Amino acid sequence: MSNEAERRILAVHLPSRDFLCTGCLAWWSRLTPYPCWQVDWATSRQSRSMTAALLGGRA
């Protein structure tokens, strides 16, 4: 996966007023609490990439 995929997920999967994931509701009609598993995945990938870049490695 690319950084672009992670950015797209984080741009769409946002919390609503009632703390549900707007992306999951729009895409799959699911009432999923925020953060959903896709947000968890995307943020962990971003963190891993930043840590690897800081340490001089690759993610």
Side-chain angles (χ1 to χ4, degrees), residues 13-44:
H13 289 262
L14 301 170
S16 66
R17 289 185 188 179
D18 50 0
F19 301 103
L20 296 173
C21 179
T22 56
C24 289
L25 182 61
W27 288 356
W28 300 296
S29 298
R30 290 185 179 166
L31 295 175
T32 306
Y34 186 86
C36 66
W37 68 270
Q38 289 182 329
V39 170
D40 288 340
W41 174 85
T43 54
S44 70

Side-chain angles (χ1 to χ4, degrees), residues 1-3 6 44-59:
M1 296 300 284
S2 67
N3 288 339
E6 295 149 13
S44 70
R45 290 277 303 175
Q46 282 187 336
S47 298
R48 199 173 325 158
S49 296
M50 285 188 276
T51 301
L54 179 66
L55 297 175
R58 293 177 60 194

